[in-house]
Amino acid sequence: MSYLFALGTTLGTLWLRLAFGYHAGDEPVLVLFILPVVLSAYVGGLGPGLFATAIAALGSSYYLLTPLHSFRTSDLNLPNWVAMIIVAVLIVVLVNALRTNHRNLRAALADAGEIRTALDQHAIVAITDPRGKITFVNDKFCALSKYAREELLGQDHRLINSRHHSKEFISDLWATISQGRVWHGEIKNRAKDGTFYWVDTTIVPFLDAAGKPRQYVAIRADISARKWAEEAQVRLAAIVNSSDDAIISKTLGGIITSWNPGAETLFGHTAEEAIGQPIAMLFPPDRLSEEDEILARIARGESVKHFETLRRRKDGSLVDISVTISPITDHEGRIIGASKISRDITERKLAQEKTAWLASFPEKNPNAIVELDLRSSEITYINPAAIRLFPDLPKLRLEHPFLAGLPALFEATGQGTDGEPMRHERVLGDRCFSQTVNLIPESGRVRIYSTDITERLRAEEEVRRLNAELERRVIERTAQLEAANKELEAFSYSVSHDLRAPLRSVHGYVRMVMEDYGDRFDAEGVRLMNVVSSEARRMGQLIDDLLDFSRLGRQKMGSTEVDMTALARSEFEHQTRDLKDRVPRLDLRPLPPTQGDPAMLRQVFANLLGNAIKFSRHNPTATVEIGSQSGAEGDVYYVKDNGVGFDDRYLHKLFGVFQRLHGEAEFEGTGVGLALVKRVILRHGGKVWAESKLQEGATFYFTLPTDRHN
Amino acid sequence: MSSQSQVEVLLVEDNPRDAEMTLRTLRRRNLVNSVVHVKDGQEALEWLFAEGAHAGRDVSQLPKVVLLDLKLPKVDGLEVLRAMRADERTRLLPVVVLTSSQEDRDVIESYKLGVNSYIVKPVDFENFSAAVAELGHYWLLLNQKPL
């Protein structure tokens, strides 16, 4: 075709030249033939171009150049003709090269278009100028970023910045591409609607002639799904790793395949130790059968939820756990193992035990305990004792006399609302209950703790009655005592008055007889009258002593600090004042002072020293020792002599009134002195006792407690 | 007992033995010329204030001293003393209690009522007569009468 075109155009050109008045000798205008050559070369390439050139050369030589109709050419036209051929060939070569180039370019452009189409189908493409302004985005870019093209063009990539990446990351990217190097990485971007997406990004800088980036072409792939999956994986792993629960996976054969730090904490084995080991190592020997059961259930695709059991730690100790076991399946849904999530429930068990233990207090409390919601009047708690005592309570609630009027009571008194419990008493039948009512402000409930105080009230009543009775008796007895005392006083008074009067008369009249008729009595008569007289005198002494003794019991007792040493010394001196040569030696040791009635205590020393002096008067080396010693009940005072002593068989009689262990002829005395001593010491709260052996002297002891204050 | 002469002692004593011993001692020692002996408190007051059996007696004639027993029939010694001290006529008359009672109560009560002396009768006659003689000597011879 191209050759025909070359032939046609060249012949056409020849024909046109001939037709438009060619005359021999005219200029052949060979330059016209350049046109078909150019056209032929352009349409057909090198072959048709050269073919056209050949036609043009032959045709012009034959028809236009002299000699005409001959392929010979005159010397005159030959240079033109050769120049024409050379120019035509050159043009053909040039046009052909141009044509080839042109064709190649067209093919290259077509290729590029196809590649871009393919790229657009696959990738997210954006092109920016060197300053980062977006100059091109493809549809996928728009679709993923959810921006319209018009919104993107002219903007830079900050529009879709997710702020996920660090400044360093971004500056590293720019450093790389602005130096003309390709950057590759994963970028998280933010879409127009605020959602995020991840793109795997390659940025290729295109450089200008000077080697400066002219534009950047960014080709991206959406990797969000993978990223999300990775993130989810990381999150899951973090959850598993950070869980306090032991999370273990195992094969259906019971071999451990994964082991989280929680498992290490719970069971003591590290992951390295546990993975590959049979799960049975965690089972106490008596629970090994559990594993078979569990595996059987897992194999059937069932889960075991919150199964509470015991497991063994690495150190052999047992731990209470709650375990949930679920099957693990592969992509095809086949069960390939099991996951076990075990939780240490030791604390919970302890808490449960503690809760149960705490609950047992109200539960086992023999007193009624009730909690009531004041607003709904629902009973929210009632202990067994309350049900036992008031079986109708759950049914009757606020209508039961045990609770009746409680809300009104709260409103009326305002008591119990400030956290202070309100107390009141209720009589139910023949029982009386003390109720302590506590308002729990958080729940608006009241707790009623009740105690049956019937017995206590009865006991209190009984105590009151007994007290009254006792008081009455005390008054009665006091009156009796007072009467007896009065009687005794009257008696003493009579004794002192009436008993002494006749004695005085006996004595007086004997003396009067002797004064008036004494000279008529012989010696025996005088002796007999003297006996009457001295007996009367002695009886007078007896009466006086007895009165002293009786007065001592009734006398008010003073209490002052008494210097016992001084008291003993002064009384000893008093007792021995009239004794002249028969004064015994005194061995007086320092005595601790005491609290008491000085006059009464003087009586004690008077009688004890009087006795000591009296009963040792036959001893030429008579010694009276006064001292003290510490005893369990305080200081013990003693008066010791080396006189005749007494027979200790009669010790029990020693302190009785009118009791005498010696004959009147041997040692005078009325037998009141020691009784008086005993009375004084007893009134001081002390004790008195004696030790003696016949002919070995006697020691009298007494205590005076110093803590006696009233 | 009473005489026209000046009464020097009023002896109030229900016990005739004690009275005899007292009077014997006073007479034997020549301490007294005129003693009036009354046997109970009521008679003592009647004599002192010239009432009842003693109506007509010259009330202004008072003894130098009254020897007063405490335990007396009808009106006891302390009552007599109280009555005497309550009456202007006998308020300053010296009274010596001569009694068997050593009770603190009696001693204190007597002094509270304004007794001039309190003597416990000794059982021993020698002591008794010595005591009576001494008090007679003191009150009748030594003591300056207030009225």
Side-chain angles (χ1 to χ4, degrees), chain A residues 352-363:
Chain A
Q352 276 171 352
E353 277 165 27
K354 192 176 180 191
T355 305
W357 173 69
L358 285 175
S360 74
F361 285 98
E363 287 290 304

Side-chain angles (χ1 to χ4, degrees), chain A residues 81-142:
Chain A
W81 188 68
V82 171
M84 183 207 70
I85 291 169
I86 290 166
V87 166
V89 170
L90 274 174
I91 282 170
V92 168
V93 170
L94 280 173
V95 167
N96 183 55
L98 196 66
R99 185 176 171 269
T100 307
N101 245 357
H102 187 72
R103 202 175 50 210
N104 284 348
L105 188 63
R106 274 233 310 272
L109 276 175
D111 279 356
E114 279 160 18
I115 287 167
R116 216 168 77 180
T117 306
L119 195 62
D120 279 345
Q121 290 303 310
H122 171 75
I124 300 140
V125 182
I127 300 172
T128 63
D129 65 15
R131 295 195 311 279
K133 286 262 178 324
I134 297 169
T135 54
F136 170 84
V137 288
N138 70 349
D139 290 342
K140 279 185 92 88
F141 192 106
C142 296

Side-chain angles (χ1 to χ4, degrees), chain A residues 489 492-494 496-498 500-505 507-509 511-512 515-516 536-537 540 544 547 551 554, chain B residues 15-18 20-21 24 28 69-71 99-106 120-126 128:
Chain A
E489 266 179 58
S492 304
Y493 198 77
S494 314
S496 81
H497 219 95
D498 300 346
R500 286 206 300 182
L503 269 181
R504 202 162 41 245
S505 303
H507 194 260
Y509 277 76
R511 292 330 298 171
M512 279 151 69
E515 274 173 24
D516 295 354
R537 198 185 287 126
D544 285 350
L547 284 173
R551 201 181 298 121
R554 292 176 281 124
Chain B
N15 186 326
R17 310 288 167 241
D18 281 359
E20 190 180 345
M21 287 191 286
R24 180 184 165 107
R28 282 228 162 178
D69 192 10
L70 289 183
K71 196 163 180 291
T99 177
S100 302
S101 171
Q102 307 187 35
E103 293 294 311
D104 296 341
R105 222 179 29 150
D106 286 340
V120 178
K121 295 171 188 169
V123 170
D124 187 291
F125 180 69
E126 276 78 27
F128 179 82

Side-chain angles (χ1 to χ4, degrees), chain A residues 275-351:
Chain A
I275 292 170
Q277 296 298 310
I279 194 89
M281 73 176 184
L282 301 176
F283 284 66
D286 56 331
R287 286 179 189 252
L288 278 171
S289 60
E290 275 178 13
E291 177 65 0
D292 299 336
E293 246 174 82
I294 291 166
L295 285 175
R297 290 184 66 174
I298 294 301
R300 289 199 300 272
E302 290 171 20
S303 291
V304 178
K305 287 202 158 73
H306 309 301
F307 174 58
E308 290 187 8
T309 183
L310 272 178
R311 288 292 177 262
R312 199 171 55 174
R313 290 198 182 96
K314 187 183 180 184
D315 64 6
S317 62
L318 296 178
V319 56
D320 282 301
I321 60 159
S322 164
V323 59
T324 294
I325 305 163
S326 317
I328 300 174
T329 54
D330 63 9
H331 296 295
E332 274 84 43
R334 281 180 306 224
I335 296 162
I336 54 166
S339 73
K340 302 182 74 147
I341 302 178
S342 307
R343 174 164 297 185
D344 183 347
I345 56 166
T346 310
E347 293 294 319
R348 204 182 79 199
K349 282 256 174 185
L350 288 176

